């Protein structure tokens, strides 16, 4: 356990609240302490209000903020006097508590205070830090966890048995604290949940947290709980079809398209191949904080339907009348061949599940080595999963972008129309796989929603590898934009050699046959139906002299699209073409080339660019918007169609 306190850095922070920000971020930087919005911190300060009165204020972490990146604005200021009165009530429902916390803030635009606010208020220390430290959670999630905690910490910590976060937990802590705390007390352990540390200064509280967690880590090491990894067996099979099928089953069960991310590493394989997996993985999560994200249990193997049946039974056993069941799809899947797979409504959600379960595997393995990992009973976990405060949070989330949970593949995505298509798809929430021969494709877009793969589309083997990679990362391919192509220099048929012809055909036509054939199994399993858009050309309906190979390739590609529409309609796959013309904002059209072409026709550059019936400039972005619109429900009843996007052309009309 690393103590990250840096005196030089800390010296830059001056007020009590600023130092609270600093040490909160230090806690947030260590994933073995808190993950994704877990944990919370506070500081008590005296302030003078607008009418000149002195008030004690608790600044406590606001909901929606992550400790790793929190700022002063992420802390909610709540009046201590009222919090201490609330703590004396016999009972207070969760919605009442939320209302009281909100209405006692001194800044109306601050975020909602943490549900653990009253708990922070009753602890008589200036700084209070709370984490879900892996090592502490591991020790408490065992049959005799309480005894072990006592053995490690003696009377330095007050031990609180598990109670769901909220008013009842704060009340219990207040009682136990009054009875048991003394000058030796530096913290508090919440069984099956986490740990608190306190101090008069930000550094004292932080140092104690690090020291206390390090003691649990040392204990685990001494007990032989931290064991070397036995690497799992790797099978290097082609998983595209099986993963796409699994994702289809998950989406059917969930009722919405999902991202299925595969994390095949020596660690996940070792865990998923453990002979005792069925026993140790089916206890429950390490801390209730995780149950919302990971669901109570992982799916072992690939039978989503029976998982859903078991989830329904679990819901019916514990639910109060009137409660609506959440979707019954698993979020964590353990598979001996793939290791860990995680499921989410978005790439980000699946990644959070992966981070959480990466730590859960350690907690379970170490707890097992300690004599038996033991999570909370199902009823307690159910109470958290269906906690009305969490339900309200879920309902509050606005409508996600249209293609959230869907996956698109774009060829020739590093520039021009392909890049514009990738950008438009990302904007609509899709996970995007971009293929391009240009290695710059790898870093073309930031963020986890984009996967750039360098790929020569004329190489069948490279295409297979790229699709396998895409499906392992996101779970399938739902939409395809066939854009990669070349526009060769003008050449009359009288001088057209077969090498030139074949090269154009290989890229502009043959590669697309390979892509369609190899992507078909995925498109067939797209939860909302597969969609393909072919970037054709005005040259299909209206060819020009000197471009025989290009025009013939695009015409053949259009015919391939029409046959695919006939063959795949029964699979719910829609395939359509757009025929752009005069798209000048791409790499090949430099200012010089434009100038030369315009002069050739006796036009200015501006007139040349808008040389169409509508006198409009056709941009890459406009072509991309049309291509992406073809993937939306607006065109749900359209397949095999060809749509010009050329500003209006007499020969096409
Ligand atoms: Zn907590």
């Amino acid at each position: 356990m690393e103590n990250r306190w840096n005196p030089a850095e800390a010296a830059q922070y001056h007020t009590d609240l600023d130092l609270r920000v600093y040490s909160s971020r230090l806690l947030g930087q260590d994933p073995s302490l808190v993950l994704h919005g877990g944990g919370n911190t506070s500081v008590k300060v005296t302030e003078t209000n607008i009418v000149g009165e002195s008030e004690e204020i608790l600044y406590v972490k606001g909901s929606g903020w992550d400790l790793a990146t929190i700022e002063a604005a992420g802390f909610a200021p709540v009046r201590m006097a009222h919090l201490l009165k609330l703590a004396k009530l016999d009972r207070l429902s969760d919605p009442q508590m939320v209302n009281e916390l909100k209405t006692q803030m001194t800044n109306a635009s601050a975020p909602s205070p943490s549900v653990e606010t009253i708990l922070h208020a009753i602890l008589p220390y200036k700084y209070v830090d709370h984490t879900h430290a892996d090592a502490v959670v591991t020790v408490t999630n065992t049959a005799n966890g309480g005894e072990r905690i006592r053995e490690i910490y003696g009377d330095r910590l007050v031990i609180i048995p598990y109670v769901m976060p909220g008013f009842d937990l704060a009340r219990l802590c207040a009682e136990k604290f009054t009875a048991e705390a003394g000058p030796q007390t530096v913290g508090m352990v919440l069984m099956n949940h986490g740990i608190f540390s306190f101090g008069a200064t930000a550094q004292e509280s932080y140092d104690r947290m690090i020291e206390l967690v390090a003691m649990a880590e040392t204990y685990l090491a001494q007990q032989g709980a931290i064991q070397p990894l036995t690497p799992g067996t790797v099978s290097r099979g082609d998983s595209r079809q099986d993963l796409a099928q699994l994702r289809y089953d998950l989406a059917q069960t969930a009722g919405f398209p999902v991202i299925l991310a595969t994390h095949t590493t020596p660690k996940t394989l070792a865990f998923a191949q453990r002979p005792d997996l069925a026993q140790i993985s089916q206890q429950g999560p390490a801390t209730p904080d995780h149950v919302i994200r990971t669901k109570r249990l992982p799916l072992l193997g690939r039978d989503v339907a029976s998982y859903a049946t078991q989830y329904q039974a679990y819901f019916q056993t514990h639910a109060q009348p009137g409660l609506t069941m959440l979707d019954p799809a698993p979020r964590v899947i353990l598979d001996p061949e793939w290791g860990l797979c995680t499921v989410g409504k978005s790439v980000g959600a699946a990644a959070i599940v992966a981070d959480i379960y990466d730590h859960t595997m350690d907690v379970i393995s170490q707890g097992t080595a300690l004599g038996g990992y033991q999570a909370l009973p199902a009823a307690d976990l159910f109470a958290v999963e269906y906690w009305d405060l969490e339900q309200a949070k879920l309902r509050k989330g606005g409508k996600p972008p249209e293609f959230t949970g869907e996956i698109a593949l774009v060829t020739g995505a590093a520039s021009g129309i392909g890049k514009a298509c990738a950008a438009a798809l990302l904007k609509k929430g899709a996970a995007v796989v971009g293929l391009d021969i240009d290695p710059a494709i790898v870093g073309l877009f930031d963020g986890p929603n984009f996967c750039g793969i360098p790929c020569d589309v004329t190489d069948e083997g490279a295409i297979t590898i790229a699709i396998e990679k895409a499906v392992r990362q996101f779970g399938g391919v739902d939409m395809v934009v066939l854009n990669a192509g070349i526009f060769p220099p003008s050449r009359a048929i009288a001088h057209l050699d077969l090498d030139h012809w074949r090269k154009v055909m290989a890229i502009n036509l043959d590669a697309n046959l390979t892509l369609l054939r190899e992507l078909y199994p995925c498109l067939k399993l797209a939860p909302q139906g597969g969609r393909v858009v072919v970037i054709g050309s005005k040259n299909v309906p209206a060819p020009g002299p000197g471009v025989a190979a290009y025009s013939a390739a695009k015409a053949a590609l259009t015919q391939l699209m029409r046959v695919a529409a006939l063959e795949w309609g029964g699979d719910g796959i829609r395939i359509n073409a757009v025929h752009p013309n005069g798209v000048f904002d791409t790499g090949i059209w430099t200012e010089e080339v434009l100038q030369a072409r315009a002069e050739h026709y006796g036009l200015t550059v501006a007139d040349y660019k808008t040389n169409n019936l509508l006198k409009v400039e056709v941009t890459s972005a406009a072509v991309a918007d049309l291509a992406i619109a073809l993937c939306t429900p607006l065109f749900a009843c359209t397949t095999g169609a060809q749509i010009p996007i050329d500003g209006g052309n007499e020969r096409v009309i």
Side-chain angles (χ1 to χ4, degrees):
M1 178 63 25
E2 185 197 348
N3 188 318
R4 296 167 190 250
W5 189 277
N6 178 328
E9 252 174 41
Q12 325 257 317
Y13 297 84
H14 301 295
T15 66
D16 292 341
L17 181 58
D18 284 348
L19 281 157
R20 176 68 288 172
V21 170
Y22 173 63
S23 69
S24 300
R25 287 186 188 169
L26 297 186
L27 295 174
Q29 280 162 24
D30 192 333
S32 72
L33 291 175
V34 289
L35 279 172
H36 300 292
N40 42 58
T41 58
S42 68
V43 60
K44 301 176 184 80
V45 298
T46 305
E47 287 180 347
T48 305
N49 67 20
I50 199 159
V51 291
E53 296 159 349
S54 180
E55 279 186 312
E56 204 184 351
I57 304 295
L58 176 79
Y59 278 87
V60 64
K61 195 196 98 161
S63 72
W65 286 80
D66 204 302
L67 287 183
T69 52
I70 199 160
E71 295 164 21
F75 287 90
V78 195
R79 293 187 183 90
M80 274 292 288
H82 193 72
L83 291 173
L84 294 176
K85 284 181 208 162
L86 290 176
K88 294 213 166 67
L89 290 174
D90 282 333
R91 50 168 286 111
L92 186 65
S93 74
D94 287 333
Q96 280 174 323
M97 180 182 78
V98 168
N99 180 60
E100 291 301 310
L101 298 182
K102 264 202 142 159
T103 51
Q104 289 298 322
M105 292 205 302
T106 58
N107 177 356
S109 51
S112 298
S114 157
V115 293
E116 282 165 335
T117 297
I118 299 177
L119 210 171
H120 280 261
I122 55 123
L123 295 168
Y125 305 89
K126 188 171 179 72
Y127 285 89
V128 175
D129 294 21
H130 168 49
T131 71
H132 303 140
D134 287 353
V136 175
V137 164
T138 302
V139 177
T140 67
N141 278 331
T142 54
N144 44 0
E147 287 160 40
R148 291 177 187 275
I149 290 291
R150 187 59 75 211
E151 188 187 333
I152 299 169
Y153 299 110
D155 61 358
R156 295 179 75 200
L157 300 188
V158 174
I159 302 176
I160 311 289
Y162 178 79
V163 171
M164 197 164 127
F167 182 70
D168 294 346
L169 175 61
R171 277 279 317 234
L172 178 66
C173 290
E175 278 166 28
K176 295 276 282 178
F177 219 78
T178 316
E180 294 175 25
Q184 77 289 353
T185 307
V186 294
M188 187 167 79
V189 162
L190 308 185
M191 295 301 289
N192 306 88
H193 175 161
I195 181 166
F196 280 78
S197 65
F198 337 114
T201 66
Q203 186 176 6
E204 185 178 46
S205 187
Y206 175 77
D207 283 349
R208 282 176 176 169
M209 174 62 74
I210 301 304
E211 187 208 341
L212 294 169
V213 176
M215 287 168 77
E217 287 182 344
T218 305
Y219 175 84
L220 288 171
Q222 281 167 353
Q223 297 290 313
I226 303 167
Q227 292 175 348
L229 197 73
T230 320
T233 331
V234 188
S235 72
R236 293 236 172 268
D238 175 351
S239 297
R240 287 181 283 162
Q241 171 91 37
D242 293 342
L243 279 167
Q245 180 67 54
L246 177 59
R247 172 171 172 265
Y248 176 83
D249 295 344
L250 290 162
Q252 294 304 306
T253 303
F256 47 83
V258 295
I259 297 295
L260 171 64
T262 309
H263 313 269
T264 310
T265 66
K267 178 178 170 178
T268 63
L269 285 172
F271 191 78
Q273 292 172 9
R274 282 183 66 132
D276 57 357
L277 185 72
Q279 205 271 322
I280 62 168
S281 71
Q282 301 295 299
Q283 306 290 316
T287 162
D289 189 41
H290 295 169
V291 72
I292 311 279
R293 255 84 177 254
T294 62
K295 289 258 164 89
R296 186 173 66 98
L297 300 176
L299 162 64
L300 303 185
R302 303 173 191 180
D303 188 350
V304 180
S306 63
Y307 182 93
T309 308
Q310 280 167 32
Y311 187 86
Q312 265 149 7
Y314 159 70
F315 177 79
Q316 274 149 15
T317 308
H318 300 287
Q320 304 290 323
L323 202 58
T324 313
M325 192 177 81
L326 299 169
D327 78 81
R331 295 297 186 271
V332 176
I333 299 168
L334 296 167
D335 183 276
E337 190 184 336
W338 299 324
L340 172 67
C341 303
T342 58
V343 182
K345 266 188 180 173
S346 63
V347 176
I352 289 176
V353 176
D355 280 350
I356 290 175
Y357 210 76
D358 183 58
H359 287 264
T360 306
M361 289 188 290
D362 294 336
V363 171
I364 293 177
S365 298
Q366 291 171 20
T368 305
L370 213 55
Y373 173 75
Q374 189 180 305
L376 285 170
D380 285 313
L381 294 169
F382 184 88
V384 177
E385 191 175 353
Y386 283 88
W387 193 5
D388 45 7
L389 298 183
E390 288 295 340
Q391 298 262 301
K393 255 197 252 170
L394 290 176
R395 278 194 298 270
K396 234 168 55 182
K399 205 171 181 280
E402 189 166 16
F403 291 149
T404 301
E406 293 204 276
I407 303 129
L409 184 144
V410 181
T411 66
S415 61
I417 293 171
K419 186 178 175 182
C421 286
L425 286 158
L426 286 168
K427 209 172 152 195
K428 280 192 177 281
V432 177
V433 180
L435 306 190
D436 205 289
I437 199 156
D438 181 354
I441 189 70
V442 174
L444 192 67
F445 295 99
D446 290 331
N449 280 2
F450 181 74
C451 168
I453 307 174
C455 176
D456 175 355
V457 290
T458 62
D459 177 347
E460 288 189 78
I463 286 180
T464 312
I465 291 168
I467 298 173
E468 174 80 14
K469 187 174 177 200
V471 175
R472 282 188 173 252
Q473 191 151 338
F474 298 130
V477 177
D478 306 323
M479 295 173 272
V480 178
V481 179
L482 295 177
N483 164 71
I486 51 166
F487 191 76
S490 183
R491 193 160 311 178
I493 291 168
H495 307 288
L496 186 55
D497 58 85
L498 265 181
D499 280 351
H500 174 105
W501 175 267
R502 284 187 185 128
K503 189 182 172 204
V504 175
M505 286 295 166
I507 300 171
N508 290 7
L509 177 62
D510 302 357
N512 292 307
L513 169 67
T514 311
L515 282 155
L516 287 173
R517 187 189 65 224
E518 294 302 317
L519 285 164
Y520 171 61
C522 286
L523 290 167
K524 213 166 121 174
L525 290 166
Q528 321 243 64
R531 284 141 285 165
V532 182
V533 181
V534 168
I535 306 297
S537 166
K538 180 240 22 173
N539 280 32
V540 174
V547 281
Y550 179 83
S551 301
K554 287 287 188 185
L557 174 59
T558 303
Q559 201 73 340
L560 177 65
M561 176 278 288
R562 297 173 72 200
V563 175
L566 292 169
E567 292 186 3
W568 295 353
D571 298 313
I573 303 170
R574 301 193 282 108
I575 177 165
N576 297 289
V578 296
H579 292 320
N581 189 38
V583 181
F584 296 117
D585 61 348
T586 62
I588 44 169
W589 291 96
T590 59
E591 259 330 295
E592 295 80 60
V593 176
L594 265 173
Q595 196 75 50
R597 298 308 298 165
E599 266 169 36
H600 178 81
Y601 289 102
L603 296 169
T604 65
V605 169
D607 287 343
Y608 179 68
K609 277 185 176 176
T610 56
N611 191 16
N612 54 51
L613 294 173
L614 295 171
K615 301 287 172 219
V616 292
E617 193 180 334
V618 182
T619 62
S620 300
V623 177
D625 284 346
L626 174 62
I628 287 8
L630 282 167
C631 297
T632 66
L634 188 66
F635 287 89
C637 306
T638 302
T639 192
Q642 303 173 51
I643 304 177
I645 172 159
D646 53 14
N649 181 301
E650 285 135 331
R651 292 178 57 213
V652 173
I653 292 169

